[in-house]
Amino acid sequence: MSIKLGLYDFFTNIIPGFLFLFVISELGKLLGLQTGILSDTSDISQLSVFVIAAFIIGHTLNLITFPWYRMFVRKHDGQIALDKVQKLYPDLPISFNHDDIGIIRTILRDNDEKQSEHIESLHVNAMFARNISFGMFLLAIVKLLIFIKDKSSYDLLLSIGAAVLFPMAILRARDFYRWFYREIFLGAIKYGFSVKQILKFIHAKEKKL
């Protein structure tokens, strides 16, 4: 599982990273600077440097884009997902809260590999969409400024396209986050209806082994 998710995580950081490098390259053109970014991707050594840079930038974006995402989605997605699970199973005494997500996620990772892999793939997709939304927002602004300067219809179309895509990516990130949290809680109720019950179940299971 770790290899599969590692590769998944690798590529979902590289793509937003390349988008951000492209934004920097376009910003350089706007300011009349020769950044050299993405200028010659046919050279293997230079392409390798760009891939590594994109990967690092993609990871770094995670520090910026979570507050960015929360500007648009105020209510905690985990609480929304928990409310839906409780409505789905009204007869079950589910007593989790969204602060339990971290420990439940760890328990599932240690005890249900298949479910955990599915959960983590949803999380990676959520981060990917979140990072892409931020990149598209920046691209829309930069391309609009280039259009104002050069009056190029190509840049205007790219600006409009990016402006349309960035809220769509925000909404997609929201969906993936809510699916991510929902699957955590659905996985949890296989073992108990509170963190205390789950830990008791896991401890009893380990004593039998």
Side-chain angles (χ1 to χ4, degrees):
M1 180 184 75
S2 59
I3 293 175
K4 183 177 179 181
L5 286 175
L7 288 172
Y8 202 16
D9 179 61
F10 183 71
F11 285 109
T12 52
N13 280 292
I14 282 180
I15 295 172
F18 264 118
L19 176 59
F20 198 71
L21 285 174
F22 178 66
V23 172
I24 294 173
S25 176
E26 294 300 297
L27 182 60
K29 292 178 185 177
L30 176 66
L31 299 175
L33 302 175
Q34 295 295 325
T35 62
I37 297 173
L38 304 179
S39 59
D40 184 13
T41 55
S42 61
D43 184 280
I44 297 299
S45 60
Q46 191 171 0
L47 180 60
S48 299
V49 171
F50 288 147
V51 169
I52 294 169
F55 179 63
I56 293 170
I57 289 171
H59 264 293
T60 306
L61 281 174
N62 290 326
L63 301 174
I64 303 169
T65 58
F66 186 71
W68 156 262
Y69 172 76
R70 296 294 292 164
M71 287 172 57
F72 299 95
V73 182
R74 298 298 181 90
K75 190 172 181 181
H76 198 291
D77 293 307
Q79 188 60 54
I80 292 172
L82 177 58
D83 291 343
K84 287 186 176 180
V85 170
Q86 288 173 326
K87 287 179 181 178
L88 188 62
Y89 299 104
D91 297 329
L92 298 180
I94 299 172
S95 57
F96 300 116
N97 64 66
H98 69 262
D99 293 328
D100 297 330
I101 288 167
I103 190 168
I104 295 172
R105 191 176 170 189
T106 301
I107 291 168
L108 291 175
R109 188 182 298 125
D110 293 338
N111 293 275
D112 193 338
E113 184 174 327
K114 186 176 180 181
Q115 177 74 359
S116 180
E117 183 174 338
H118 175 58
I119 287 169
E120 295 306 319
S121 70
L122 292 171
H123 188 230
V124 169
N125 274 300
M127 291 191 297
F128 172 70
R130 190 183 78 198
N131 289 349
I132 287 292
S133 73
F134 183 65
M136 286 295 175
F137 173 75
L138 295 179
L139 182 61
I141 293 175
V142 171
K143 281 297 184 181
L144 179 60
L145 293 174
I146 293 174
F147 166 72
I148 293 171
K149 179 184 176 185
D150 298 337
K151 301 298 187 291
S152 166
S153 57
Y154 168 76
D155 291 311
L156 178 60
L157 286 173
L158 276 181
S159 178
I160 293 171
V164 169
L165 287 173
F166 105 77
M168 291 175 63
I170 286 282
L171 293 174
R172 198 60 177 161
R174 183 199 64 184
D175 290 340
F176 274 116
Y177 270 120
R178 291 178 185 178
W179 294 334
F180 162 68
Y181 291 122
R182 181 197 63 193
E183 291 303 308
I184 287 176
F185 292 121
L186 288 176
I189 61 176
K190 297 176 185 177
Y191 303 100
F193 305 121
S194 68
V195 170
K196 185 177 180 180
Q197 283 185 6
I198 293 173
L199 291 173
K200 186 176 179 181
F201 176 87
I202 297 299
H203 182 66
K205 181 181 174 182
E206 289 176 347
K207 284 183 69 175
K208 291 179 181 179
L209 296 178

